[in-house]
Amino acid sequence: MSGPAQPSLGGATARVPAKVNLHLGVGPLRDDGYHELSTLFCALSLYDEVTVRAADELSVTVRGDNYREVPADASNLAAQAVLALARHAGIDDPSVAIEIDKAIPVAGGMAGGSADAAGALLAAARLWRLDLDRETLLDLAAGLGSDVPFALVGGTALGTGRGEKLLPVLQRGDFWWVIGAARTGLSTPEVYRELDRLRAERGEEASAPGRPDALMQALASGDVHAVAPLLHNDLQAAALSLQPLLRRTLRAGTESGALAGIVSGSGPSCVFLCEDEDAAINVATELSGSGVAKAVRTAHGPVPGARLVQPNHGSTR
Ligand code: ATP
């Protein structure tokens, strides 16, 4: 999990990918308020960059897409990560300036806040020259949020528990995606509550979520046509119930030639799996023209998790 050698003098920068859930099975609500999950995460080449520099006081600056929707104070998940790391390492004065360059849609179901927390952990550890092993980093990450460990690990992984227990999964090939970001975000807890409400309304009892074996086999084969029909998200109905217009986005993407489209995680970003890069560019062009999404991007995956980089270099935007 350590990156290329880099002087810590001017600060340290980490680049962190967004995630999609290729499968999201949601089980019953646990006593601790979380739902039991069985999910297949895949990291995509849509990156936030987090820089941490020594400073006289703790500050957070956010730039890029929708920066106004992201808190620029100690409630920012990146600041929470720095404070948690300082507590762990016994650093009395965690005064740092945190700069976040956002490309991951905010409140979009693509774990942007979690990505920033993972990036801040790596960058602050480098700045403070801490030698942390992988287990310690993953424990700190899990304490910050269910999706933070995956942002560190990247690739394709099976997540269980509340999504924080990870096992790497073999995925052959590099798949191309189109991401349609929605005009307004969705609150993750609200989407889970809506799922519980819909289940109660239908008299459905949630059972323990099973492992998506068929999808894992299709991923191992590298056949994008076998993968596409197996994409699944238990939260999709809840996200569509809260934002019915997302149906139009899903329809527009599949009518433009995507192999499949689903709501990403708790939404409202919609993600479309495409046959190859050319197909993704065509789908993105049509989706942009249709005006159903606020912003449209292409990305590929799986890609590695959080990495230290030179500031503002090596980003794929
Ligand atoms: P997930 O998929 O992990 O449930 P998400 O991608 O739907 O999350 P985020 O982009 O992580 O959503 O944002 C959720 C909320 O967290 C935002 O509305 C914002 O107020 C808050 N937040 C705190 N720190 C950050 C950050 N660094 N980046 C984005 N949002 C943040």
Side-chain angles (χ1 to χ4, degrees), residues 19 21 48 50 60 62 66 69-73 75-80 100 102 104-117 146-148 185-189 192 264-269:
K19 61 86 182 162
N21 301 82
D48 280 0
V50 183
V60 179
V62 188
N66 305 321
E69 295 163 31
V70 179
D73 56 27
S75 71
N76 191 295
L77 281 174
Q80 293 294 315
I100 303 174
K102 281 210 81 72
I104 304 175
V106 178
M110 303 197 74
S114 304
D116 299 343
S146 306
D147 290 344
V148 185
L186 275 176
S187 140
T188 303
Y192 276 96
S264 177
S266 56
S269 299

Side-chain angles (χ1 to χ4, degrees), residues 23-254:
H23 174 93
L24 180 50
V26 182
L29 185 62
R30 309 190 313 196
D31 291 342
D32 63 3
Y34 290 97
H35 289 76
E36 192 66 26
L37 302 184
S38 174
T39 187
L40 267 181
F41 292 111
C42 180
L44 295 190
S45 64
L46 182 66
Y47 299 101
D48 280 0
E49 278 193 10
V50 183
T51 299
V52 178
R53 300 180 204 281
D56 294 334
E57 56 179 14
L58 182 70
S59 68
V60 179
T61 310
V62 188
R63 292 187 285 258
D65 298 357
N66 305 321
Y67 69 95
R68 282 195 191 85
E69 295 163 31
V70 179
D73 56 27
S75 71
N76 191 295
L77 281 174
Q80 293 294 315
V82 166
L83 294 174
L85 181 62
R87 271 193 305 276
H88 169 83
I91 290 171
D92 293 334
D93 180 12
S95 298
V96 289
I98 303 170
E99 292 158 27
I100 303 174
D101 276 297
K102 281 210 81 72
I104 304 175
V106 178
M110 303 197 74
S114 304
D116 299 343
L121 274 182
L122 273 195
R126 173 55 59 98
L127 179 77
W128 292 331
R129 298 178 190 278
L130 302 174
D131 189 19
L132 299 177
D133 60 30
R134 180 185 161 89
E135 285 315 309
T136 307
L137 263 179
L138 287 172
D139 278 354
L140 281 165
L144 290 161
S146 306
D147 290 344
V148 185
F150 179 71
L152 284 174
V153 169
T156 306
L158 178 69
T160 54
R162 53 187 169 88
E164 86 288 12
K165 293 182 199 153
L166 297 172
L167 278 177
V169 165
L170 174 66
Q171 177 178 347
R172 286 209 171 82
D174 187 29
F175 291 169
W176 278 88
W177 295 83
V178 173
I179 297 144
R183 285 175 209 290
T184 39
L186 275 176
S187 140
T188 303
E190 208 178 307
V191 178
Y192 276 96
R193 277 197 296 276
E194 181 67 2
L195 173 66
D196 291 338
R197 192 189 68 75
L198 290 173
R199 282 178 167 168
E201 200 174 80
R202 296 187 204 120
E204 253 177 53
E205 192 84 20
S207 50
R211 207 176 55 182
D213 288 324
L215 176 56
M216 286 165 71
Q217 275 173 22
L219 289 168
S221 79
D223 179 359
V224 69
H225 292 274
V227 168
L230 297 172
L231 298 178
H232 174 79
N233 182 0
D234 272 353
L235 286 178
Q236 180 156 315
L240 292 177
S241 166
L242 294 170
Q243 280 200 19
L245 284 179
L246 293 177
R247 286 178 207 282
R248 275 177 50 200
T249 314
L250 289 174
R251 213 178 311 124
T254 41

Side-chain angles (χ1 to χ4, degrees), residues 280-313:
I281 291 168
N282 287 337
V283 170
T285 308
E286 288 214 21
L287 204 58
S288 298
S290 73
V292 290
K294 182 169 79 173
V296 178
R297 304 260 188 280
T298 59
H300 64 94
V303 296
R307 291 286 180 275
L308 291 166
V309 294
Q310 297 300 324
N312 298 318
H313 286 289

